[in-house]
């Protein structure tokens, strides 16, 4: 093999390594508890809700807890898992996955292409931040998963527009300290410039002072730059069983993540 061929092959192995290294749990049911954090009754309760959702709407929702994200981000793990499991119906791509990684303290709602218009990024973030994470932080992981599943089902089978409005109001009210600081700074600079303009105009028109004056007083203000604050198979664990499988759905990275 030539040196060029060897180099190309080496680059290919480097690029392919992260995807090949991920060892996904087997899709053994609608609830895959690889991390072992849900008891039998809870897994059965969740599985029944997810089965009823599919029977009513054909949408597939799966819950999975994982022992480890294996060194990758939950976003990368989620989209690859969705493509591996193919949750959702082929052609509709109406699948979603609630992923919980307790060891990394990360959670994600991964959304298939066909549900991105209903289960939007803003809405999944709203569910994670208001329904799931507060319960996780209180030590009620099972309760957080249950509430997250309930809210996702409500969005998919109920009034999605009402949920979108709630998510939008929450985002509008959740101004970060950086937002407040930059808003205050912008207003202060604007007021300072206006005052300098007015002062220059008053001086240039004052009696006995007919010399030309610049419209804006000279000073250290030269400009500002602005930024915006930042949005395989393995054994072990438990599942609800039942011979469940994905329907051929596809994923493109829609959804939201959070940590606790």
């Amino acid at each position: 093999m030539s040196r060029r061929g060897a180099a190309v092959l080496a680059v290919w192995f480097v690029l392919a390594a992260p995807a090949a290294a991920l060892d996904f749990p087997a899709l053994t049911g609608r609830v895959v508890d690889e991390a072992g954090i849900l008891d039998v009754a809870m897994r059965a309760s969740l599985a029944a809700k997810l089965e009823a959702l599919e029977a009513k709407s054909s949408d597939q929702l799966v819950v999975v807890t994982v022992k480890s994200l294996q060194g990758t981000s939950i976003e990368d793990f989620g989209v690859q898992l969705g493509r591996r499991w193919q949750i959702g119906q082929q052609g509709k791509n109406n699948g979603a996955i609630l992923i919980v990684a307790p060891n990394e303290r990360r959670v994600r709602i991964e959304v298939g292409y066909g549900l991105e218009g209903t289960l939007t990024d803003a809405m999944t973030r709203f569910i994670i931040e208001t329904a799931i994470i507060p319960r996780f932080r209180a030590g009620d992981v099972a309760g957080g998963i249950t509430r997250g599943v309930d809210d996702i089902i409500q969005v998919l089978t109920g009034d999605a527009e009402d949920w979108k409005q709630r998510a939008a109001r929450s985002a509008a009210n959740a101004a970060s300290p950086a937002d407040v600081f930059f808003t205050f700074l912008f207003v202060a600079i604007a007021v300072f410039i206006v005052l300098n303009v007015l002062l220059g105009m008053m001086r240039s028109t004052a009696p006995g002072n007919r010399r030309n004056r610049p419209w804006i007083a000279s000073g250290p203000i030269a400009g500002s730059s602005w930024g915006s604050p930042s949005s395989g198979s393995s054994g072990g664990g438990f599942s609800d069983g039942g011979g469940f499988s994905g329907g051929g759905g596809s994923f493109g990275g829609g959804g939201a993540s959070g940590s606790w």
Side-chain angles (χ1 to χ4, degrees):
M1 180 183 295
S2 65
R3 290 183 178 179
R4 181 177 181 181
V8 171
L9 185 61
V11 170
W12 183 88
F13 275 118
V14 170
L15 294 177
L22 292 180
D23 188 15
F24 298 113
L27 179 59
T28 52
R30 292 180 174 84
V31 179
V32 180
D33 185 24
E34 184 191 46
I37 59 177
L38 302 173
D39 61 31
V40 175
M42 181 58 65
R43 295 197 302 272
S45 174
L46 289 171
K49 293 179 180 182
L50 303 179
E51 184 177 7
L53 169 67
E54 184 175 358
K56 180 178 181 179
S57 65
S58 82
D59 297 336
Q60 287 188 334
L61 174 60
V62 171
V63 174
V64 57
T65 71
V66 296
K67 294 178 180 177
S68 171
L69 295 173
Q70 303 169 48
T72 191
S73 67
I74 196 169
E75 292 79 13
D76 181 55
F77 188 94
V79 71
Q80 290 196 49
L81 180 64
R83 291 169 178 172
R84 172 65 64 87
W85 282 358
Q86 299 184 344
I87 303 302
Q89 308 299 329
Q90 188 173 17
K92 293 184 177 181
N93 300 316
N94 54 342
I97 309 173
L98 174 56
I99 306 167
V100 179
N103 289 327
E104 289 90 349
R105 304 178 74 84
R106 296 283 288 165
V107 59
R108 178 167 178 80
I109 300 174
E110 192 71 39
V111 181
Y113 282 119
L115 294 181
E116 289 182 356
T118 303
L119 201 57
T120 64
D121 293 356
M123 196 173 301
T124 52
R125 183 177 300 108
F126 176 74
I127 292 173
I128 288 173
E129 292 179 350
T130 62
I132 299 176
I133 288 180
R135 289 167 175 79
F136 281 8
R137 288 176 175 166
D140 185 11
V141 177
I145 292 174
T146 299
R147 179 60 185 274
V149 166
D150 290 343
D151 284 0
I152 293 172
I153 291 175
Q154 286 186 31
V155 172
L156 295 178
T157 61
D159 188 354
E161 287 303 318
D162 177 63
W163 277 89
K164 289 179 182 179
Q165 293 175 12
R166 291 168 59 183
R169 288 195 298 268
S170 176
N173 294 332
S176 68
D179 293 329
V180 175
F181 170 77
F182 281 116
T183 300
F184 174 80
L185 183 62
F186 176 80
V187 172
I189 292 175
V191 170
F192 181 77
I193 292 174
V194 170
L195 290 177
N196 271 273
V197 171
L198 294 176
L199 182 60
M201 294 174 64
M202 292 173 62
R203 287 178 176 175
S204 64
T205 58
N209 186 5
R210 300 299 182 183
R211 292 179 298 174
N212 292 328
R213 297 280 184 174
W215 287 103
I216 302 177
S218 61
I221 302 177
S224 302
S225 60
W226 299 84
S228 58
S230 53
S231 163
S233 66
S234 62
F238 302 91
S239 72
D240 67 289
F244 173 78
S245 65
S250 184
F251 288 74
S257 309
S259 59
W260 75 95

